[in-house]
Amino acid sequence: WRQLSLFGLLALALTGCGKDELSTLKPSGPVAAMQFDLMKLSSAIMIGVFIVVMLIFTYVLIRYRKRPGQQGIPKQVEGNHALEILWTVIPFLLLIVMAIPTVTTGFELHKEYSKEEALQVKVTAHQFWWEFEYPDLGVATAQDLVLPVGKKVQFHVTSADVMHAFWIPALGGKIDTNPGQENKIWLQADKTGTFYGKCAELCGASHALMDFKVEVMDQAAFDSWANGMKGVQAAEPVAATAASAAQGQEIFNKSCLGCHAVAGKGGKMGPNLTNFADRERVAGILAHTPENVAEWLKDPQKVKPGNNMPNLNLDDAQTKALVDYLQTLSVK
Ligand code: CUA
């Protein structure tokens, strides 16, 4: 019973994976649809094989059971050419049936699209966050991937530290992001809305927390977002006006700007924060509320163990000032 209830709990936990925006079973783009077709085909074949094998097994169990009065070992049968050929040819044919669509889909998914055909996005994985750059648009962001609907996106993926894997279950994937190497994958979203992405390669203490958001919008909204980002990132950071935010900006410039960029200034060690206030989540995982931003700033290791953000040992007033400043970082 204990094992059964554990199993039940596990099943319950797994139902959490059934969210549409995080499900491979509800594809929202052509790549995910092709991958889902392969899953359906191989699952159908596997289920078919399982059923046939179990039927034969059950038949044999009943047909050749020991009957009352039976003595000694039954007649032993060795070798049957017809049967042996049959059970070699059937799996061979089944493998062919799976291999043909798998290989053709594989080639389809590995097509590379030029910048005339697809939006180019460079993805860099870090412990434990995601950096997204649009080289042709002059835009860099982190944690929130913004995409136009119905358009091919050619991703160039790599890693700044260890191996991670880039995966947006509802759109397709996944692909390893390896340091010193560029892998490519194309994806397309066919509906607008919010999807979620995951790191799919064990990469350290906070691997499970290495999520990102994918916001798919129509082309006009995407263009206006990109133009807004581009304008801001070509300029110097704006001076905060409110007293507390201005104090926060001072702390930020002193302690954070070395690693985090805002507008056209700052380091690349940590996530670009130009549009921080527009993000739905803090650190990729917490709901974006001032309380959660404060919690993150007070003890980043508590929220995301093993990440590279140092504890700045801020007092409450400093934390509040910094939170106030971060809330001014919007391009909307
Ligand atoms: Cu990055 Cu797991």
Side-chain angles (χ1 to χ4, degrees), residues 309-330:
M309 166 113 170
N311 190 330
L312 299 172
N313 298 311
L314 302 167
D315 63 32
D316 286 346
Q318 290 169 320
T319 306
K320 184 180 176 301
L322 202 47
V323 171
D324 288 344
Y325 171 60
L326 289 170
Q327 298 318 309
T328 67
L329 302 177
S330 168

Side-chain angles (χ1 to χ4, degrees), residues 298-317:
K298 287 227 125 182
D299 192 355
Q301 293 303 321
K302 195 175 135 213
V303 178
K304 223 177 197 181
N307 84 82
N308 291 321
M309 166 113 170
N311 190 330
L312 299 172
N313 298 311
L314 302 167
D315 63 32
D316 286 346

Side-chain angles (χ1 to χ4, degrees), residues 222-245:
F222 175 80
D223 290 341
S224 112
W225 172 81
N227 282 332
M229 283 293 281
K230 189 181 173 179
V232 174
Q233 289 185 323
E236 289 281 299
V238 179
T241 43
S244 169

Side-chain angles (χ1 to χ4, degrees), residues 125-130 162-165 199-204 206-208 210:
H126 300 253
Q127 279 174 320
F128 300 95
W129 58 279
W130 296 89
V162 300
M163 280 174 72
H164 307 262
C199 177
E201 173 76 51
L202 192 60
C203 58
S206 286
H207 155 70
M210 193 169 157

Side-chain angles (χ1 to χ4, degrees), residues 267-285:
K268 274 194 77 177
M269 273 281 288
N272 187 304
L273 299 178
T274 303
N275 56 347
F276 178 81
D278 302 333
R279 292 183 193 156
E280 191 189 56
R281 292 182 181 186
V282 182
I285 47 171

